[in-house]
Amino acid sequence: MTPVSDSALDTLHETATHIFTGALEACNIASAFDRRIRFEGNRMHRLMPDGSGPATIDLAGYRRVFVIALGKAAGPMLETLLDRMKRRKGLRGICCTNQLPKSRNWRFRYFEGGHPLPNEDTFAAARATLALLRKAKKDTLIIFLISGGGSAMFDLPIDPQITLDDTVEFHRLLLASGAPINEVNTLRKHFSAVKGGRLAMAAPEALKVSLLLPDVPLRTLDALSSGPTSPDHSTVSEVRDLIAKYCLAEKFPVPVRRFFERSDLPESPGNKGWRPPFMPKLQRKMTSAVTMNGEDEAFRDSVFEILLSSHDLVENARLLAQRAGYFTVVDNSCDDWDYADAAKYLLERFDELRKGHDRVCLISVGEVTVTLNRTPGAGGRNQQFVLESALGLKNHPGERLTVLSAGSDGIDGNTRSAGSIADPTTVARAKSFGFDPAKSLAEFNACPLFTALGDSVVTGPTGHNLRDMRLLIAERG
């Protein structure tokens, strides 16, 4: 490789990083909140109501207001709400996140839940929330602020005989199974006392407003943090099928296996014979609430609003790429695919696009899956995807190509990197540093390789969790 190609590839790395970080910065929680919700005195206005609930809620009509904030973005979401909502009388709440905010309100209890695996605060937060919600009556308004990551941070088994250690192993096995997130969360919903609509059931008389920051496909929005406030339409029969499909029964801790083998395994709340689209057909301007007339009474006084989603992330990236002069294509069809299959598909699509255009940016948002068959090294699904892509890029020496994949939350797997970047020189450079890329891939140990090359994407925790972004960028000449 020549000094010129080195410089050109460095520029492509910078461009890819700029598009990713710029798209994230444009997904501002406070701005998104103001586009959806406005407070005027004691009145809370839904700015894009869709007929599913009141367009205006008079807080003066409620003696108490409970706020439950869950997930990786719980801190920024709660801070924004408290800044806008001046009502403090009767205000109490719970905040459970993986990084405690520096500024805390005395009216709230804060818990540092574990992620990607539960910890003691995971159980403590769930118990505290259930205790608070049981105090809710018709004179109570409950605002749920739900973002990604809540499935691990916030949990409590239905069966009290299942310990924290059992629960940690249960979550670990699901994450290693290779199952897509909606299937993983189907199992979590039937395992947990706070998922699959059970938080709504804990306060059946109260008006419940759920403000969402989803890290799941919009077609399965009730998988967000395993759907603590939304009705669940998956069934015990599906749970048993999934356990068999991924050969999980023999791997589960004994108390977990016994729970799922119960003949009276409880169904999650939700009308199992009625499956309305929880998300309407996706449009540029979207609302997310739906009528709950066919559901249990506990869900009928429920409103759901999306504040931000991966749709916003991809639109921001598309605009930045277009402004930079790239022919831009969005392809999210490999969402929830195995990482290797996704890499093969996107590289082939990338090759086709490059034949007709000198400057190309292919954008893909969603998550790939990784099936672990051994104890992993340091890495995550984004770095695994990029290393797999690097093995394909090495067949294009001298070309200006780069692939970036990173998590919008700033964390990839068990590392402090959000993801990584590769180009046609990555494999050769890695070998010159003494790495065997194929071995690193097989051992799920991509992070040390990319760190040594200086090709890790490091943002720190972003306060977001809008799924992962993949960028494939090419320049000719």
Side-chain angles (χ1 to χ4, degrees):
M1 54 187 174
T2 67
V4 174
S5 63
D6 281 347
S7 175
L9 289 174
D10 286 343
T11 300
L12 274 186
H13 282 220
E14 292 171 3
T15 298
T17 303
H18 171 74
I19 292 172
F20 171 66
T21 57
L24 264 181
E25 289 168 4
C27 290
N28 183 276
I29 290 176
S31 297
F33 193 99
D34 293 338
R35 290 195 296 270
R36 297 285 181 171
I37 303 292
R38 184 177 72 245
F39 286 94
E40 290 181 348
N42 272 326
R43 294 183 179 273
M44 183 174 77
H45 302 280
R46 294 174 57 212
L47 301 183
M48 297 180 68
D50 56 4
S52 63
T56 297
I57 299 172
D58 186 359
L59 273 64
Y62 295 90
R63 190 165 67 91
R64 294 183 291 189
V65 177
F66 294 164
V67 179
I68 311 298
L70 308 173
K72 293 181 181 179
M77 292 176 77
L78 179 58
E79 181 181 3
T80 301
L81 175 70
L82 294 180
D83 181 67
R84 275 42 170 190
M85 184 180 74
K86 303 308 179 185
R87 161 76 180 263
R88 293 295 182 266
K89 184 179 179 181
L91 175 65
R92 292 293 184 271
I94 304 289
C95 179
C96 181
T97 186
N98 62 328
Q99 187 173 35
L100 295 179
K102 294 179 181 178
S103 177
R104 305 179 197 176
N105 188 294
W106 66 267
R107 296 172 179 84
F108 287 76
R109 296 181 65 185
Y110 292 82
F111 298 88
E112 191 169 7
H115 192 276
L117 298 174
N119 62 10
E120 290 184 0
D121 263 18
T122 296
F123 277 25
R127 291 190 178 107
T129 299
L130 288 173
L132 182 64
L133 293 181
R134 288 176 185 132
K135 299 176 182 178
K137 306 299 180 184
K138 287 185 178 180
D139 62 358
T140 308
L141 169 66
I142 307 173
I143 301 175
F144 293 95
L145 308 175
I146 304 176
S147 56
S151 292
M153 295 175 209
F154 184 80
D155 200 6
L156 188 67
I158 293 174
D159 185 346
Q161 301 301 314
I162 296 175
T163 67
L164 175 59
D165 286 343
D166 295 333
T167 303
V168 168
E169 182 63 7
F170 170 68
H171 280 258
R172 189 191 68 77
L173 288 167
L174 294 186
L175 293 176
S177 69
I181 190 63
N182 62 309
E183 294 184 347
V184 166
N185 284 354
T186 291
L187 293 171
R188 286 167 165 169
K189 289 175 185 179
H190 286 79
F191 171 85
S192 176
V194 293
K195 295 178 171 53
R198 289 190 172 93
L199 288 192
M201 298 297 289
E205 298 180 345
L207 174 62
K208 296 168 279 290
V209 177
S210 296
L211 305 180
L212 312 176
L213 222 67
D215 68 336
V216 296
L218 293 179
R219 65 184 180 274
T220 57
L221 195 60
D222 55 349
L224 172 61
S225 285
S226 301
T229 63
S230 58
D232 178 39
H233 300 115
S234 66
T235 66
V236 165
S237 177
E238 291 175 63
V239 166
R240 300 196 194 284
D241 288 345
L242 289 173
I243 290 174
K245 177 181 178 180
Y246 295 102
C247 304
L248 291 169
E250 59 269 29
K251 301 174 186 175
F252 282 155
V254 171
V256 175
R257 185 173 72 247
R258 287 175 178 166
F259 171 73
F260 281 113
E261 288 176 346
R262 284 172 48 177
S263 59
D264 62 342
L265 183 65
E267 282 284 11
S268 53
N271 186 339
K272 306 303 179 179
W274 182 68
R275 290 177 177 257
F278 188 76
M279 258 300 297
K281 184 177 180 181
L282 185 62
Q283 300 173 347
R284 292 300 175 111
K285 292 184 177 180
M286 57 186 172
T287 56
S288 62
V290 295
T291 178
M292 295 291 176
N293 290 338
E295 291 292 355
D296 188 280
E297 292 282 353
F299 296 110
R300 293 184 192 174
D301 286 330
S302 296
V303 174
F304 299 86
E305 292 288 353
I306 293 178
L307 297 182
L308 284 170
S309 73
S310 58
H311 176 77
D312 299 281
L313 185 65
V314 76
E315 283 298 295
N316 292 330
R318 183 181 62 81
L319 290 173
L320 288 168
Q322 288 178 340
R323 288 172 188 165
Y326 292 99
F327 176 75
T328 304
V329 173
V330 176
D331 188 336
N332 299 331
S333 55
C334 57
D335 188 16
D336 277 338
W337 288 17
D338 175 79
Y339 76 91
D341 294 335
K344 182 176 184 292
Y345 170 78
L346 288 176
L347 287 174
E348 288 177 354
R349 183 82 197 276
F350 190 43
D351 287 343
E352 288 299 316
L353 291 170
R354 291 192 295 116
K355 292 175 182 177
H357 304 275
D358 291 340
R359 292 168 59 84
V360 172
C361 179
L362 175 58
I363 302 170
S364 180
V365 171
E367 295 177 358
V368 297
T369 64
V370 177
T371 303
L372 299 177
N373 54 15
R374 58 185 298 163
T375 301
R381 59 179 176 252
N382 289 287
Q383 292 164 88
Q384 195 78 357
F385 170 87
V386 174
L387 188 51
E388 178 74 26
S389 298
L391 295 172
L393 291 178
K394 71 180 176 61
N395 298 320
H396 301 274
E399 296 188 52
R400 297 181 180 181
L401 312 173
T402 194
V403 173
L404 176 149
S405 185
S408 60
D409 59 353
I411 302 169
D412 187 36
N414 58 1
T415 75
R416 295 186 178 182
S417 297
S420 55
I421 306 178
D423 60 53
T425 71
T426 295
V427 170
R429 287 187 292 124
K431 290 180 177 178
S432 73
F433 275 78
F435 289 95
D436 180 343
K439 182 179 180 183
S440 295
L441 193 70
E443 296 178 349
F444 309 101
N445 194 36
C447 189
L449 183 154
F450 286 115
T451 300
L453 298 182
D455 288 341
S456 295
V457 177
V458 180
T459 63
T462 64
H464 282 302
N465 198 18
L466 302 175
R467 315 205 77 208
D468 301 337
M469 173 174 284
R470 292 170 288 279
L471 299 171
L472 292 83
I473 300 176
E475 295 180 359
R476 186 182 299 163

